[in-house]
Amino acid sequence: MDYKIEKMKKSDWKQVAEVSIYISEKYKGQGIGTTLLTSLIKLSEENGF
């Protein structure tokens, strides 16, 4: 997954959300977090965010 970091104007922050994904030690390293985050990004873009 690639991330692009840019300087954002104050008005850009109105569509910013902070998300935390916690994965149990039992399931770490299985790609679950990546799958969840990828799905979240896709759904947010499909809904205009």
Side-chain angles (χ1 to χ4, degrees), residues 14-29:
K14 66 182 176 182
Q15 292 187 357
V16 172
E18 183 175 328
V19 176
S20 297
I21 298 174
Y22 298 91
I23 306 296
S24 170
E25 289 290 330
K26 181 178 176 180
Y27 298 103
K28 286 187 176 178

Side-chain angles (χ1 to χ4, degrees), residues 8 10 13 18-19 24 30 36 43:
M8 296 175 68
K10 189 174 182 179
W13 288 99
E18 183 175 328
V19 176
S24 170
Q30 298 181 33
L36 288 170
L43 285 168

